[in-house]
Amino acid sequence: MNSDSTPPRVNLRDIAAKLGVSHSTVSLSLRDHPRISAAVKSRVREAAEAMGYRPDPMLAALANYRLGKDKNSVSAGIAWINAWQKPHDLRKFKEFDFYWNGAFKAAEKFGYRLEEFQLNGDLSPKRLHQILSTRGIRGILLPPHQPPYPDWKDFPWSEYSIVRFGRSLLEPACHIVTADQISNTMLAVQKIHERGYQRIGYVATEGEFSKRGVQFELGFFGGQRLIRDPNPIPVLIQREASSSDPKPALKTWLKKYKPDAIFTPDPKIPALLAELGYEIPGDMGLAATSILDGKLDSGIDQHPEEIGRVGFLMLNSLINDRARGIPPIFRQILVEGSWVDGKSLPDLR
């Protein structure tokens, strides 16, 4: 087929002429802008589909370039919903603070502003929806949460594009961006073994983020297989309880299995080992699943700022695709971490 037989591309002005509206109305309708009524959006989309309209990728790239050049282009909001009982505790976790930073910077680049909404006694789900609707906000980022988890009641998720960080929230069951905790733990076991450690253990506390902990545990089993550990040490998972002293079980486990290195997501482990009389790294090496929150300088950098950035990019794609509500099939984007050497786990080779 030669170029003379190729039909011309349908553009926004063609659709506008057919409907008797301005081309800016067509453009805003196809971008699902809140300023345009639902009835007009429906007419525009039906006409665009019937006429065979397809966005021009070169024009879209040019628009994104111009948006990036415009420092004052912020014109729409993205909601970051914080439903923690003590909202300020959320970003005391350095990982979660970097989620915010990554998402904030990416949102700003694309012309959005990221706003935090604290869901508490003063702001109910119903009132939150009213505020978001009034401001024309159609995108929501959900950071990790601790129990008790929020009661969303009858919040109309069907009106929003949603992405959650991590696996702590079971509802809404929307798309996820998180660290690749299984792969990261397998990497850590390999790196610890490469540094001359033969008896590698895993210790965790089952509590606030127990579902996340399962991923680390699975990764540890995979790591033991990768290094072909002839005598793998069983994991020690302790239940979190204010009235329970974790030291006796830890002491028994240490005496029985004699690990020379421990990988852990629990920031309390270094202090517990010190109370039991162990010197780190003199008696054993320690590494953390997160060097930001694990109180150790050896372990995994989960690249949380990249997780935040990717979370916004996924949300932006959902907004552009007008994909709202709880998806029938949800996607998971996993961001791989990297190993960081530190003094808590010196090289024995």
Side-chain angles (χ1 to χ4, degrees):
M1 181 181 291
N2 59 43
S3 60
D4 293 338
S5 63
T6 302
R9 178 186 289 271
V10 175
N11 59 40
L12 299 182
R13 294 184 185 276
D14 295 330
I15 301 171
K18 182 177 180 62
L19 296 177
V21 298
S22 69
H23 77 280
S24 61
T25 296
V26 173
S27 176
L28 292 172
S29 295
L30 293 176
R31 287 187 282 137
D32 203 22
H33 197 283
R35 202 171 77 196
I36 307 299
S37 71
V40 172
K41 290 177 186 176
S42 179
R43 285 181 60 216
V44 169
R45 290 170 188 161
E46 288 175 5
E49 183 69 23
M51 296 172 69
Y53 169 76
R54 296 293 181 270
D56 187 327
M58 296 303 293
L59 291 178
L62 178 60
N64 284 334
Y65 170 76
R66 287 175 174 169
L67 186 62
K69 298 284 284 184
D70 183 1
K71 297 299 184 182
N72 299 311
S73 60
V74 175
S75 59
I78 296 294
W80 166 284
I81 300 181
N82 179 349
W84 284 48
Q85 285 194 317
K86 297 179 179 179
H88 294 295
D89 285 351
L90 167 61
R91 286 167 60 190
K92 286 181 180 178
F93 287 87
K94 295 178 182 178
E95 293 274 345
F96 305 161
D97 191 38
F98 273 107
Y99 288 178
W100 165 275
N101 291 339
F104 185 92
K105 292 176 184 177
E108 192 173 49
K109 178 180 177 181
F110 280 82
Y112 290 89
R113 65 184 178 277
L114 184 61
E115 299 182 59
E116 181 174 274
F117 295 86
Q118 296 180 1
L119 192 64
N120 50 39
D122 298 325
L123 183 61
S124 66
K126 181 179 180 179
R127 178 58 181 151
L128 174 64
H129 171 57
Q130 291 173 341
I131 294 172
L132 298 183
S133 296
T134 300
R135 297 191 187 182
I137 294 175
R138 287 294 177 264
I140 292 176
L141 290 175
L142 296 172
H145 279 74
Q146 291 179 323
Y149 297 119
D151 180 3
W152 300 113
K153 302 186 187 304
D154 54 353
F155 188 82
W157 297 111
S158 60
E159 298 189 28
Y160 298 92
S161 300
I162 323 144
V163 170
R164 54 185 165 141
F165 292 110
R167 299 183 177 87
S168 59
L169 278 178
L170 298 181
E171 296 181 352
C174 55
H175 304 303
I176 290 176
V177 178
T178 190
D180 189 348
Q181 293 145 352
I182 291 178
S183 178
N184 290 349
T185 305
M186 292 173 67
L187 171 66
V189 173
Q190 288 179 285
K191 291 296 184 180
I192 294 170
H193 187 255
E194 287 173 5
R195 278 148 184 74
Y197 295 87
Q198 301 299 315
R199 297 193 55 73
I200 304 169
Y202 175 83
V203 179
T205 301
E206 186 180 76
E208 295 171 352
F209 302 110
S210 59
K211 287 186 69 64
R212 181 177 65 172
V214 168
Q215 300 291 313
F216 292 131
E217 189 177 342
L218 293 173
F220 184 73
F221 294 144
Q224 288 179 323
R225 290 192 63 183
L226 279 179
I227 66 173
R228 298 180 179 178
D229 191 339
N231 298 296
I233 297 177
V235 301
L236 174 62
I237 309 296
Q238 303 197 83
R239 294 193 178 277
E240 188 172 63
S242 57
S243 61
S244 175
D245 183 358
K247 291 193 293 295
L250 178 60
K251 182 178 180 180
T252 299
W253 181 84
L254 291 167
K255 184 177 180 180
K256 182 174 182 178
Y257 297 108
K258 298 179 174 56
D260 56 10
I262 293 176
F263 186 62
T264 180
D266 190 342
K268 297 186 293 294
I269 292 301
L272 290 174
L273 289 172
E275 290 178 29
L276 291 172
Y278 290 88
E279 293 185 3
I280 306 301
D283 293 321
M284 70 184 70
L286 282 184
T289 58
S290 165
I291 58 169
L292 290 176
D293 291 315
K295 297 184 179 180
L296 296 168
D297 60 0
S298 299
I300 296 294
D301 179 351
Q302 297 189 112
H303 302 303
E305 189 162 355
E306 175 67 4
I307 292 172
R309 187 184 77 88
V310 172
F312 168 78
L313 294 179
M314 178 185 244
L315 181 63
N316 190 43
S317 71
L318 295 174
I319 293 171
N320 291 338
D321 197 34
R322 298 190 294 276
R324 295 180 178 174
I326 310 303
I329 301 173
F330 74 82
R331 299 190 295 270
Q332 299 187 51
I333 296 181
L334 304 180
V335 176
E336 190 166 333
S338 57
W339 174 260
V340 177
D341 279 320
K343 295 179 181 179
S344 65
L345 194 123
D347 196 327
L348 299 182
R349 294 170 300 176

